């Protein structure tokens, strides 16, 4: 069975010893969580999804008050073709309002994360469960089958229900002119969503990305709106701003929550009337620009503290897209790993992961999301002495990171201390792009010297 595309004849989830007759032996003592469960005990119906041997996403719907058996036998309610799953392996029981997972005397057991369980209540954001070599995801309040929605979009990797919904939303919103605010944790791929919106928009102009967190406050006006020659000291020639560059296309404002207050009012005016006024010019330029912005910052809280204009937030978020964190779509880890392996192949060569290695990746919480996954895969590839990467290599790559729990710190200098003065490592600890972290550090510590910290 080849469900992951990572290695022929193997499936993500767990490693088992198999003899020449195909009879499985002892389960290896490894982390086994490979799919997510996000279930609210008061809701229903639930959608149960897994990836079959042909790499197709399969779904089964369980309504409140009902029960369903899972097994390899044809009389099971959910039939799964997996030689390591018993005929009637387990039961999902929603008859009491909550959702319970019950082992029906299976040979190989039911696993929630690392633990084998005989009965478990699946609460909201519980662990994952694995049967044999197959891993399952359960999602609450899925009112309709999503298999026909969310057609594949270039750059968006994954067929989990959250990603299918996101793909469907992107296709539905792409041709609109209204501003879009993309919300999500750092590293989830907000820039990929923005590029997809532009690519499907049908707009003929350029896609212009601009990370506003990297722009010095003194140059923000010029970067966004441009300036005339002689508009200020040092303006020896005219400059075309990002809005004018993106005329007829899309302007992507990444980390928009870091936009300096002085420029927020001007941005709001441009969004309202579509006219850009370069610095030093008395004449405005009409522009046709679709603005897509992204943030991992709590903008509503910043509005309450006066750091961000509420009226600007309302304008930027006429349409909002939420990009799910990786821990809520663990079923996408296998195809994401394959995508990273293909990306690194020209530089590092062919690499593949064992089932145990993939299982270890799926058990991690990924505070840095897809970006962190890519970094771990790269380190594992570089550190591998052979083509195959086992769970030891993955564990080594994971442990080489600084503890992500350090994110609890509130002061950027705490991160810098933990990282021994290394800005790049401190930014990873904070879960922020390095440029954003530098901006935060300079604002919190105006006297901070850029020359002292090191950068890896």
């Amino acid at each position: 069975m080849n469900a992951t595309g990572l290695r022929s004849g193997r499936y993500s989830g767990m490693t088992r010893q198999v003899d020449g007759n195909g009879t499985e032996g002892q389960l290896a003592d490894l982390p086994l969580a490979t799919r997510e469960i996000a279930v609210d005990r008061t809701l229903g119906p639930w959608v149960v999804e897994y990836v079959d041997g042909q790499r197709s996403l399969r779904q089964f719907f369980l309504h409140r008050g009902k029960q369903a058996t899972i097994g390899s036998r044809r009389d099971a309610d959910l039939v799964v073709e997996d030689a390591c799953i018993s005929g009637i392996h387990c039961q999902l029981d929603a008859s009491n309002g909550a959702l319970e997972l019950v082992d029906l005397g299976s040979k190989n057991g039911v696993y929630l994360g690392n633990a084998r369980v005989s009965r478990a209540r699946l609460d909201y954001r519980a662990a994952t469960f694995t049967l044999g070599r197959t891993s399952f995801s359960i999602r609450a309040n899925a009112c309709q089958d999503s298999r026909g929605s969310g057609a594949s979009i270039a750059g968006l990797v994954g067929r989990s229900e959250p990603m299918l919904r996101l793909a469907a939303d992107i296709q539905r919103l792409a041709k609109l002119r209204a501003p879009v605010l993309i919300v999500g944790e750092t590293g989830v791929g907000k820039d990929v969503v923005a590029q997809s919106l532009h690519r499907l928009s049908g707009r003929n102009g350029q896609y212009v990305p601009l990370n506003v967190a990297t722009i010095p406050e003194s140059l923000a006006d010029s970067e966004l709106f441009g300036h005339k020659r002689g508009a200020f000291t040092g303006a020896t020639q005219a400059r075309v701003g990002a809005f004018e560059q993106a005329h007829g296309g899309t302007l992507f404002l990444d980390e928009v929550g870091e936009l300096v207050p002085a420029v927020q009012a001007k941005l709001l005016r441009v969004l309202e009337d579509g006219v850009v006024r370069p610095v030093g010019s008395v004449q405005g330029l009409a522009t046709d620009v679709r603005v897509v912005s992204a943030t991992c910052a709590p903008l509503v809280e910043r509005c309450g503290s006066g750091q961000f204009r509420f009226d600007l937030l309302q304008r930027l978020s006429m349409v909002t897209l939420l990009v799910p964190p990786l821990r809520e779509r663990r079923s996408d880890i296998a195809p994401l790993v394959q995508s990273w392996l293909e990306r690194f192949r020209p530089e590092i060569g062919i690499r593949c992961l064992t089932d145990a290695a993939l299982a270890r990746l799926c058990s991690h919480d990924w505070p840095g999301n897809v970006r962190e996954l890519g970094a771990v895969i790269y380190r594992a590839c570089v550190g591998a002495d052979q083509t195959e990467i086992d769970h030891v290599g993955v564990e080594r790559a994971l442990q080489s990171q600084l503890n992500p729990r350090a994110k609890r710190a509130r002061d950027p200098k705490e991160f810098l201390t933990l990282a021994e003065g290394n800005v790049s490592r401190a930014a990873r600890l904070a879960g922020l792009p390095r440029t954003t972290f530098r901006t935060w550090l300079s604002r919190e510590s105006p006297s901070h010297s850029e020359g002292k910290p090191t950068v890896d």
Side-chain angles (χ1 to χ4, degrees):
M1 183 178 294
N2 181 18
T4 66
L6 297 179
R7 186 174 176 215
S8 177
R10 308 197 97 174
Y11 185 77
S12 65
M14 56 182 71
T15 298
R16 294 182 184 274
Q17 311 253 332
V18 182
D19 63 22
N21 298 320
T23 303
E24 75 179 276
Q26 184 177 4
L27 177 70
D29 183 19
L30 295 169
L32 305 177
T34 60
R35 294 294 186 270
E36 70 277 16
I37 297 177
V39 178
D40 192 309
R41 69 178 68 184
T42 63
L43 297 178
W46 295 272
V47 57
V48 183
E49 60 184 26
Y50 69 99
V51 179
D52 66 12
Q54 286 70 48
R55 309 180 198 175
S56 299
L57 182 69
R58 301 294 184 182
Q59 294 181 324
F60 175 84
F61 287 83
L62 178 65
H63 292 267
R64 191 178 348 179
K66 302 294 185 180
Q67 298 174 330
T69 56
I70 303 177
S72 57
R73 217 163 63 196
R74 292 302 167 189
D75 57 341
D77 296 310
L78 177 56
V79 180
V80 182
E81 295 182 358
D82 183 339
C84 297
I85 291 181
S86 299
I88 302 295
H89 196 105
C90 67
Q91 181 183 65
L92 286 169
D93 185 355
S95 59
N96 295 320
L99 186 62
E100 288 190 324
L101 179 63
V102 184
D103 190 342
L104 298 180
S106 67
K107 176 182 178 182
N108 297 312
V110 175
Y111 283 81
L112 285 174
N114 300 355
R116 180 169 180 169
V117 298
S118 59
R119 176 183 291 267
R121 173 169 289 189
L122 306 180
D123 274 345
Y124 181 67
R125 298 195 186 284
T128 68
F129 82 94
T130 305
L131 313 177
R133 291 176 176 156
T134 305
S135 304
F136 297 82
S137 165
I138 301 182
R139 296 206 173 266
N141 202 26
C143 298
Q144 58 182 354
D145 193 332
S146 62
R147 281 175 293 182
S149 64
S152 178
I153 294 179
L156 287 185
V157 179
R159 298 293 294 174
S160 64
E161 187 173 341
M163 292 305 287
L164 289 175
R165 290 178 179 176
L166 178 61
D169 287 341
I170 290 173
Q171 291 180 324
R172 178 169 49 85
L173 301 173
K175 294 187 180 298
L176 302 180
R177 192 182 184 280
V180 177
L181 177 63
I182 304 171
V183 179
E185 297 177 7
T186 183
V188 293
K190 297 185 288 293
D191 56 333
V192 175
V193 174
Q195 292 175 42
S196 299
L197 284 169
H198 173 70
R199 190 167 52 249
L200 299 174
S201 69
R203 301 178 68 85
N204 297 322
Q206 294 184 53
Y207 171 79
V208 179
L210 184 65
N211 189 324
V212 299
T214 66
I215 306 174
E217 185 172 355
S218 59
L219 298 179
D221 268 353
S222 177
E223 289 285 344
L224 283 168
F225 314 122
H227 65 252
K228 293 294 184 181
R229 179 180 178 183
F232 50 84
T233 302
T236 56
Q237 58 184 4
R239 177 186 179 88
V240 176
F243 268 93
E244 192 173 350
Q245 293 176 46
H247 179 67
T250 302
L251 174 60
F252 176 48
L253 300 178
D254 197 9
E255 302 292 342
V256 71
E258 306 303 319
L259 191 64
V260 293
V263 182
Q264 292 178 23
K266 297 179 182 179
L267 175 59
L268 176 62
R269 175 52 55 195
V270 174
L271 292 174
E272 293 287 352
D273 60 22
V275 176
V276 173
R277 292 175 178 79
V279 179
S281 175
V282 296
Q283 185 176 1
L285 300 172
T287 58
D288 173 21
V289 176
R290 205 276 184 85
V291 175
V292 176
S293 51
T295 184
C296 59
L299 291 187
V300 174
E301 294 180 16
R302 293 195 177 187
C303 288
S305 62
Q307 295 176 282
F308 202 85
R309 292 181 63 107
F310 181 73
D311 49 2
L312 177 58
L313 175 59
Q314 295 302 302
R315 197 72 175 85
L316 290 173
S317 61
M318 289 184 67
V319 178
T320 301
L321 286 176
L322 176 62
V323 184
L326 187 54
R327 64 181 174 275
E328 293 183 6
R329 56 183 190 102
R330 296 179 194 264
S331 55
D332 293 332
I333 290 178
L336 281 167
V337 169
Q338 180 65 30
S339 176
W340 283 116
L341 291 175
E342 291 174 357
R343 184 180 301 186
F344 298 147
R345 182 177 299 172
E347 178 184 358
I348 300 174
I350 297 175
R351 295 288 189 274
C352 66
L353 269 67
T354 65
D355 294 337
L358 185 61
R360 179 63 186 95
L361 292 174
C362 292
S363 69
H364 187 60
D365 280 342
W366 300 112
N369 294 290
V370 179
R371 183 186 294 123
E372 181 188 1
L373 175 62
V376 168
I377 295 300
Y378 186 85
R379 286 196 295 272
C381 289
V382 170
D385 295 328
Q386 52 190 359
T387 299
E388 185 176 80
I389 301 171
D390 60 15
H391 71 283
V392 175
V394 166
E395 189 65 43
R396 189 184 300 116
L398 283 167
Q399 290 180 355
S400 67
Q401 303 180 110
L402 291 177
N403 187 356
R405 292 182 180 179
K407 289 183 181 182
R408 295 175 182 174
R410 300 269 181 110
D411 189 327
K413 289 179 289 185
E414 294 181 39
F415 295 116
L416 203 59
T417 300
L418 289 169
E420 300 178 341
N422 187 296
V423 173
S424 295
R425 260 186 282 165
R428 287 195 293 271
L429 278 174
L432 296 171
R434 183 166 59 88
T435 51
T436 303
F437 181 81
R438 279 188 175 276
T439 301
W440 183 27
L441 183 64
S442 64
R443 289 179 182 176
E444 294 294 327
S445 308
S447 61
H448 168 69
S449 172
E450 289 289 329
K452 292 181 180 178
T454 62
V455 180
D456 60 6

